[in-house]
């Protein structure tokens, strides 16, 4: 998710519809058989919030779609866990900073999701209910994802800035990237004949194209002649095929084009398609694109590079200042049917992932969790008595 959002952010073509379609794909999917398990458990704690096994496995199902080949399930589950930890931290940070997503924005997102996925009004809610989900839960997930996008944009905007001097330096240091080869704007008139046509047919076609050439030499407008006589698809546009560069055309046609000067008309040219008359409308020589034309492109390139680094630094800061415990692959007290959950979660440094901000805070958070669990058990027992 984080890579996807960053990639979307780096494009100026990012639209709400695009974001909402992404959210739809990530959040609304068929519930996997994993969610049908009776047993669920907490596999991570992120400050005062929890992440459950079923939510991790549901996210992992979505992640599988991006892999072309089979990937180790533990790797996908771990990736899903890290992704959800990041999102929890981002949402918590957004709320801490006072970011709010109002109902109007969420409702607009719902409408866009329905429209982009060709759903009639109310159909989304029916689909969710059939999967055992409520529209309100779905809306809350959308609210969270919009908040994630918003806080990332804010953080990256405040952390990433590219000066004009850096853009100019990149331009001067990478001139080869901005070289545009020469190109020629061409019109042509084509009289078709099939490959292997008889000599009689060829002579008839040649006589036809030769008479057109005679009219052109007498002053007939080339575009009008193309509309009247050409058998190519470009006829309606006066024979205009736009700008062409070397390597795009059949050899005979290309050779004739590059012999002509601007405004000149060729003699009859034979190719595998038939007989042509070619006119060169404009010759644009190879050039280095001016700075003004590529300034925004360079800026986006540099921003994209810097955003990835800034995003990584930001997430490291959030993780370092948070209470995070994971137990995804620890043996649960009750036996699971899945064979995946019999290993310890190993972090990059080889130890179990646990990042308390300090010993006192860790002790405080553990005590808080104990009280929460006691409260839950008490509530459950009271319900059972009833």
């Amino acid at each position: 998710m984080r890579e996807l959002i960053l990639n979307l952010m780096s494009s100026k073509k990012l639209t709400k519809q695009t974001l909402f379609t992404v959210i739809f794909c990530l959040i609304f999917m068929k519930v996997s058989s994993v969610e049908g398990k009776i047993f669920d458990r907490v596999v991570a704690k992120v400050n005062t919030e929890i992440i459950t096994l079923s939510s991790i496995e549901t996210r992992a199902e979505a992640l599988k779609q991006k892999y072309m080949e089979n990937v180790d399930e533990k790797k996908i589950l771990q990736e899903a866990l890290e992704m959800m930890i990041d999102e929890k931290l981002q949402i918590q940070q957004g709320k801490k900073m006072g970011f709010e997503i109002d109902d109007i924005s969420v409702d607009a997102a719902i409408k866009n999701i329905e429209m982009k996925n060709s759903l009639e009004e109310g159909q989304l809610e029916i689909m969710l209910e059939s999967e055992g989900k409520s529209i309100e839960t779905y809306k809350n997930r959308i609210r969270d994802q919009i908040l994630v996008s918003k806080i990332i944009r804010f953080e990256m905007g405040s952390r990433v800035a590219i000066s004009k001097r850096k853009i100019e330096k990149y331009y001067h240091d990478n001139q080869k990237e901005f070289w545009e080869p020469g190109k020629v704007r061409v019109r042509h008139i084509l009289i078709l004949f099939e490959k292997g046509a008889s000599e009689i047919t060829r002579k008839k076609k040649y006589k036809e194209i030769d008479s057109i050439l005679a009219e052109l030499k007498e002053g007939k407008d080339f575009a009008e002649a193309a509309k009247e006589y050409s058998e190519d698809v470009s006829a309606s546009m006066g024979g205009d095929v736009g700008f062409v560069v070397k390597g795009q055309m059949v050899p005979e046609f290309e050779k004739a084009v590059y012999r002509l000067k601007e405004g000149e008309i060729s003699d009859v040219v034979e190719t595998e398609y038939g007989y042509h008359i070619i006119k060169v409308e404009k010759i644009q020589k190879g050039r280095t694109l001016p700075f003004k034309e590529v300034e925004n492109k360079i800026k986006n390139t540099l921003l994209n590079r810097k955003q990835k680094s800034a995003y990584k630094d930001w997430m490291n800061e959030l993780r370092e200042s948070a209470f995070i415990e994971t137990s995804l692959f620890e043996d649960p007290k009750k036996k699971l049917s899945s064979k995946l959950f019999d290993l310890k979660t190993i972090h990059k440094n080889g130890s179990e992932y646990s990042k308390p901000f300090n010993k006192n805070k860790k002790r405080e958070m553990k005590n808080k969790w104990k009280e929460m669990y006691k409260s839950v058990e008490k509530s459950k027992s009271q319900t059972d008595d009833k």
Side-chain angles (χ1 to χ4, degrees):
M1 181 67 179
R2 58 182 181 268
E3 291 86 356
L4 185 56
I5 291 175
L6 281 171
N7 288 337
L8 289 171
M9 283 168 48
S10 66
S11 170
K12 293 223 170 184
K13 294 182 179 179
L14 175 65
T15 62
K16 286 184 179 179
Q17 288 88 346
T18 303
L19 176 60
F20 297 151
T21 301
V22 169
I23 292 170
F24 182 88
C25 293
L26 285 174
I27 298 177
F28 189 78
M29 65 193 97
K30 286 187 178 180
V31 180
S32 65
S33 59
V34 172
E35 284 193 319
K37 291 179 181 176
I38 297 173
F39 182 70
D40 199 1
R41 65 183 174 94
V42 174
V43 295
K45 302 170 188 176
V46 185
N47 293 321
T48 59
E49 296 187 75
I50 63 170
I51 298 174
T52 62
L53 176 62
S54 61
S55 65
I56 292 294
E57 292 183 313
T58 301
R59 178 64 63 89
E61 284 298 314
L63 285 177
K64 283 181 183 179
Q65 307 305 315
K66 78 175 187 178
Y67 293 105
M68 299 298 291
E69 301 175 357
N70 291 331
V71 180
D72 181 72
E73 285 195 74
K74 287 193 296 180
K75 181 180 178 182
I76 296 178
L77 286 168
Q78 187 65 42
E79 184 178 342
L81 173 61
E82 298 299 331
M83 183 181 292
M84 292 188 74
I85 289 172
D86 282 354
E87 288 178 11
K88 288 282 186 189
L89 290 170
Q90 290 161 1
I91 291 167
Q92 290 170 7
Q93 182 67 9
K95 290 177 178 178
K96 183 179 177 181
M97 295 176 67
F99 284 89
E100 293 183 358
I101 307 301
D102 57 30
D103 291 339
I104 295 174
S105 299
V106 175
D107 290 340
I110 292 289
K111 286 182 180 178
N112 274 296
I113 289 169
E114 290 175 335
M115 181 183 70
K116 295 295 284 186
N117 292 278
S118 302
L119 300 176
E120 295 178 5
E121 187 175 350
Q123 192 174 353
L124 176 60
E125 187 169 357
I126 294 170
M127 291 169 69
L128 287 165
E129 287 176 356
S130 71
E131 299 291 350
K133 299 177 182 179
S134 70
I135 189 68
E136 289 306 315
T137 300
Y138 184 65
K139 283 182 177 182
N140 287 334
R141 291 187 183 182
I142 290 177
R143 192 186 307 275
D144 285 346
Q145 293 301 330
I146 297 173
L147 179 58
V148 165
S149 177
K150 194 171 183 179
I151 186 65
I152 289 177
R153 283 179 177 275
F154 176 82
E155 284 292 334
M156 295 305 100
S158 63
R159 290 166 181 260
V160 179
I162 305 297
S163 67
K164 190 161 185 176
R165 174 183 262 180
K166 286 185 179 180
I167 298 172
E168 289 173 344
K169 185 178 186 304
Y170 185 92
Y171 176 74
H172 291 297
D173 291 348
N174 299 275
Q175 287 286 288
K176 287 183 179 179
E177 287 186 28
F178 310 111
W179 172 255
E180 184 180 68
K183 53 187 179 180
V184 182
R185 186 167 186 175
V186 174
R187 290 182 189 270
H188 80 137
I189 297 168
L190 171 63
I191 300 299
L192 294 164
F193 61 77
E194 293 181 4
K195 195 173 182 179
S198 66
E199 192 62 29
I200 294 173
T201 300
R202 285 171 166 281
K203 284 182 178 180
K204 182 181 177 182
K205 296 289 184 179
Y206 187 86
K207 185 176 181 181
E208 189 177 342
I209 193 82
D210 193 47
S211 66
I212 296 170
L213 180 60
E215 288 186 47
L216 292 170
K217 287 181 177 179
E218 290 174 3
K220 186 175 181 71
D221 181 75
F222 194 97
E224 290 302 317
K227 288 178 182 178
E228 186 177 347
Y229 301 118
S230 183
E231 296 172 350
D232 185 56
V233 292
S234 64
S236 62
M237 297 178 288
D240 188 3
V241 294
F243 280 99
V244 295
V245 297
K246 287 184 178 180
Q248 285 186 336
M249 304 160 278
V250 293
E252 302 87 354
F253 193 97
E254 183 173 290
K255 189 176 180 180
V257 166
Y258 282 95
R259 280 180 175 175
L260 297 171
K261 294 179 181 178
E262 201 169 280
E264 283 188 336
I265 296 173
S266 71
D267 289 326
V268 176
V269 176
E270 182 180 347
T271 72
E272 60 188 279
Y273 302 106
Y275 292 121
H276 307 255
I277 303 171
I278 303 166
K279 181 181 180 182
V280 169
E281 288 281 351
K282 184 177 180 62
I283 297 173
Q284 186 171 301
K285 295 181 180 179
R287 61 173 185 148
T288 298
L289 294 171
F291 177 73
K292 286 185 178 181
E293 287 186 28
V294 295
E295 182 178 358
N296 285 336
K297 181 181 178 181
I298 297 171
K299 184 178 181 180
N300 289 334
T301 299
L302 296 178
L303 277 172
N304 189 42
R305 291 179 185 175
K306 202 166 181 180
Q307 279 176 346
K308 290 178 180 178
S309 175
Y311 180 86
K312 186 177 179 181
D313 291 343
W314 176 49
M315 290 314 304
N316 285 338
E317 291 170 15
L318 290 181
R319 282 177 176 263
E320 286 171 5
S321 63
F323 176 87
I324 301 172
E325 281 189 344
T326 67
S327 55
L328 178 58
F329 299 117
E330 288 183 358
D331 285 323
K333 292 180 180 178
K334 296 183 180 180
K335 188 176 180 181
L336 286 175
S337 59
S338 174
K339 63 182 180 180
L340 293 174
F341 311 110
D342 57 358
L343 297 172
K344 283 276 185 180
T345 300
I346 303 299
H347 196 45
K348 291 180 181 178
N349 61 8
S351 62
E352 184 181 354
Y353 192 141
S354 180
K355 295 191 73 123
F357 16 113
N358 55 56
K359 290 182 180 179
N360 291 334
K361 193 69 176 178
K362 182 176 181 180
R363 192 179 302 111
E364 181 185 329
M365 291 298 294
K366 284 192 172 181
N367 290 335
K368 189 168 187 176
W369 280 110
K370 285 181 181 178
E371 292 302 318
M372 287 172 66
Y373 286 136
K374 286 179 182 178
S375 176
V376 170
E377 291 303 318
K378 184 178 180 182
S379 175
K380 284 169 64 178
S381 63
Q382 289 174 349
T383 302
D384 292 338
D385 292 340
K386 292 178 182 180

